[in-house]
Amino acid sequence: MTASREPSDRSTTLAETLAGRLRVQILSGALPEGNRLPSIRKAAGEFGVSKNTVVEAYDRLVLGNLVAAKAGSGFVVIYRGDDGGRPKHVSEAVDIASLLSAQLSQNFEIRVGDGRPPASWTEQSEIKRHLSGTGRILPAAADAYGSALGFLPLRQQIALRLQAQQIAAKEDGLLLTFGANHALDLIIRAMLSPGDAVLVDEPGYYPLFAKLTLAQVRIVGVRRLADGPDVDDLAAKIQSERPKLFFTQSLGHNPTGGSITLPVAHAVLQTAMRSNLVIVEDDPFADLPMAVNSRLATLDQLNNVISIGTFSKTLSASLRSGFIAARSDRIATLAELKMLTTVNSSGHVERLLHRLLADGHYERHLKRLGQRSEAAMGQVRANLVRGGHPLYADARTGYYLYLLLPDGIDDMALAREGAKDSIFIAPGSLFCLDKNSRLARAIRINVSRADNPKFYEFLLRRLQ
């Protein structure tokens, strides 16, 4: 299909956004083969864009061999998927992760719903000088696979950091991974079977929901309060569901921003231990200077808790490096699975990280990052409170605040309205298993990306 037009940057952005949204629906099976896309006129009205924008979006799908223009039928989906269509659990997992697809797109002017900080806070800060070239000759062994546990000197550095955080970790109790999501994937594969029940925070980390759906396990939400998991709800779900694992985040919880308090942490551990329930604690903000010392791994000392760490939220999402800290027997099992699935993680990345940690660059970077995070958190919180917008938790660590929407405001509709203004918004319902709960009517705000007056003007205009 051809069209003689010179689209503006804004229309191009909207076309890419619309094409991306439809692409997710097609690939997930929500729009199966043979389905007709809305007419250009209808799509323009439905998505609030121009007809030219719709034409450009449909052109992109045609070039991707996902749809075809057919005389008398308009645009029809021609994508068949694998073997005529994906299995139901795969389609459901892809659908859950649709927000991740939007995050990977760079088409929004304001990315307040993004889960990551801007590059200027991480790899484009002073630390980039140390990432651009090591200045050292790598030994010949650097090109070998190495131990499945990962680069030993980096494990030793991480063990020292954990010990400074009062977690008695040792190098044989650490497994290096391609980031926190790889760590979660290994734990799910190693410890769960289809049909098992697992507990998760609700609201909680939606990519985890997608991974668990892909593993065909039964996901049960535990209410997340401002100060941590609801202990009474946790006890009730353990009794009724007999879960294998409980996945939770203690610090700078995604999406609410709250952190677990010491009394709640003690109660969660005692409740889990009575039923031999293993806890998987994912804390990407544990290295920030403001991180509180009420982590479950600290209190439990990795006996009944598996701890996940990552450098993605503090250093660079592009490095894709993280770790699992646990009992040595569990680490040995996970290392075997890692060897079977990926052979090993990246030795070059791990050597680079080792240098950053050993030479003190990472610590200095964390100090700057913590100052930025603290300042942004205070400023954004003040702006939202001044605008009369209620926050769910008194967040102090991490990047997130959770804004509760007024009655009658739909979070998904708000996200669509934001997209029209090139504002990427993360709807609360994507973080909830129960789409009808009060906490599903909210949006997650990344304070590192909420410094644009246009965003606050949008909230005032839409939430009156």
Side-chain angles (χ1 to χ4, degrees):
M1 178 174 182
T2 59
S4 58
R5 61 187 186 283
E6 293 293 332
S8 66
D9 290 342
R10 175 174 167 77
S11 67
T12 300
T13 295
L14 292 174
E16 291 171 349
T17 301
L18 177 56
R21 186 180 305 171
L22 293 170
R23 187 180 297 111
V24 168
Q25 294 182 38
I26 293 170
L27 295 178
S28 69
L31 282 175
E33 180 190 11
N35 272 33
R36 293 175 56 183
L37 298 185
S39 69
I40 292 173
R41 181 188 298 275
K42 183 177 179 180
E46 180 179 343
F47 295 105
V49 297
S50 70
K51 294 179 184 177
N52 280 349
T53 297
V54 177
V55 169
E56 185 173 345
Y58 284 7
D59 277 349
R60 292 169 184 266
L61 297 176
V62 170
L63 290 173
N65 295 316
L66 298 177
V67 304
K70 297 189 176 181
S73 299
F75 289 85
V76 179
V77 176
I78 60 173
Y79 176 74
R80 293 187 176 185
D82 299 328
D83 298 325
R86 294 182 177 181
K88 184 173 182 291
H89 67 283
V90 176
S91 297
E92 290 173 347
V94 171
D95 191 49
I96 292 171
S98 60
L99 183 64
L100 181 60
S101 175
Q103 286 191 81
L104 296 177
S105 166
Q106 300 296 318
N107 302 326
F108 293 88
E109 175 188 350
I110 303 172
R111 302 181 62 82
V112 72
D114 206 311
R116 303 160 297 182
S120 60
W121 279 38
T122 53
E123 62 262 35
Q124 285 187 8
S125 68
E126 183 183 339
I127 204 166
K128 189 174 183 180
R129 291 192 299 109
H130 307 292
L131 296 177
S132 61
T134 64
R136 300 176 182 177
I137 299 175
L138 292 175
D143 285 327
Y145 283 128
S147 168
L149 291 171
F151 187 48
L152 175 58
L154 178 57
R155 285 188 284 128
Q156 292 170 334
Q157 283 292 323
I158 293 172
L160 290 174
R161 291 195 64 82
L162 291 176
Q163 290 163 17
Q165 297 166 5
Q166 301 181 30
I167 299 174
K170 298 180 180 179
E171 60 194 46
D172 64 349
L174 286 165
L175 175 69
L176 302 184
T177 66
F178 289 109
N181 275 284
H182 181 215
L184 289 168
D185 188 53
L186 288 174
I187 292 168
I188 291 169
R189 289 190 187 207
M191 304 184 70
L192 297 173
S193 299
D196 286 344
V198 296
L199 302 182
V200 299
D201 289 332
E202 185 171 12
Y205 186 51
Y206 74 90
L208 170 64
F209 299 170
K211 293 179 189 303
L212 294 169
T213 299
L214 191 63
Q216 302 183 68
V217 301
R218 191 159 49 86
I219 314 172
V220 180
V222 174
R223 281 192 300 271
R224 180 76 185 202
L225 304 179
D227 59 355
D230 183 329
V231 178
D232 291 336
D233 193 36
L234 173 63
K237 297 294 173 54
I238 291 175
Q239 182 68 28
S240 63
E241 306 295 339
R242 305 296 181 188
K244 289 284 189 69
L245 300 174
F246 174 33
F247 292 87
T248 187
Q249 291 185 329
S250 294
L251 307 179
H253 173 255
N254 188 357
T256 68
S259 293
I260 195 170
T261 61
L262 195 57
V264 172
H266 276 294
V268 167
L269 279 178
Q270 291 170 359
T271 302
M273 289 176 65
R274 283 196 292 267
S275 302
N276 294 316
L277 176 65
V278 176
I279 297 175
V280 181
E281 184 181 44
D282 176 13
D283 277 332
F285 300 116
D287 283 348
L288 288 181
M290 290 185 65
V292 295
N293 208 13
S294 55
R295 295 163 66 190
L296 300 174
T298 304
L299 300 176
D300 175 75
Q301 291 300 304
L302 303 178
N303 291 312
N304 205 47
V305 171
I306 299 173
S307 180
I308 294 176
T310 180
F311 297 97
S312 295
K313 293 292 196 298
T314 55
L315 188 55
S316 171
S318 298
L319 287 177
R320 307 313 306 156
S321 185
F323 61 88
I324 301 172
R327 286 184 345 213
S328 57
D329 59 326
R330 287 177 173 150
I331 290 297
T333 298
L334 292 167
E336 290 176 343
L337 182 58
K338 174 187 170 184
M339 181 180 63
L340 289 173
T341 54
T342 61
V343 181
N344 205 346
S345 40
S346 173
H348 287 305
V349 169
E350 290 166 6
R351 287 172 184 273
L352 185 150
L353 285 170
H354 168 254
R355 182 191 174 196
L356 293 175
L357 270 65
D359 291 355
H361 301 313
Y362 183 53
E363 198 64 43
R364 291 190 288 273
H365 169 71
L366 286 175
K367 183 177 180 179
R368 293 191 298 271
L369 184 62
Q371 292 169 345
R372 281 174 163 168
S373 174
E374 183 180 4
M377 185 70 75
Q379 184 62 56
V380 174
R381 185 192 299 109
N383 289 341
L384 294 171
V385 170
R386 190 162 48 245
H389 307 302
L391 299 173
Y392 185 63
D394 185 22
R396 299 292 173 179
T397 297
Y399 304 143
Y400 308 128
L401 291 170
Y402 204 54
L403 189 154
L404 300 175
L405 300 178
D407 291 340
I409 300 294
D410 179 85
D411 63 312
M412 296 298 289
L414 187 69
R416 288 193 291 271
E417 291 297 320
K420 295 177 185 178
D421 288 348
S422 198
I423 301 174
F424 173 46
I425 288 175
S429 58
L430 294 182
F431 300 90
C432 293
L433 300 172
D434 180 3
K435 307 301 182 185
N436 296 316
S437 71
R438 175 65 186 95
L439 290 182
R441 295 202 313 276
I443 60 173
R444 182 190 69 184
I445 294 175
N446 185 332
V447 300
S448 69
R449 296 177 177 272
D451 59 350
N452 194 312
K454 181 179 176 181
F455 169 62
Y456 297 105
E457 293 167 4
F458 171 82
L459 289 181
L460 286 173
R461 187 170 68 251
R462 296 296 177 183
L463 301 186
Q464 290 294 331

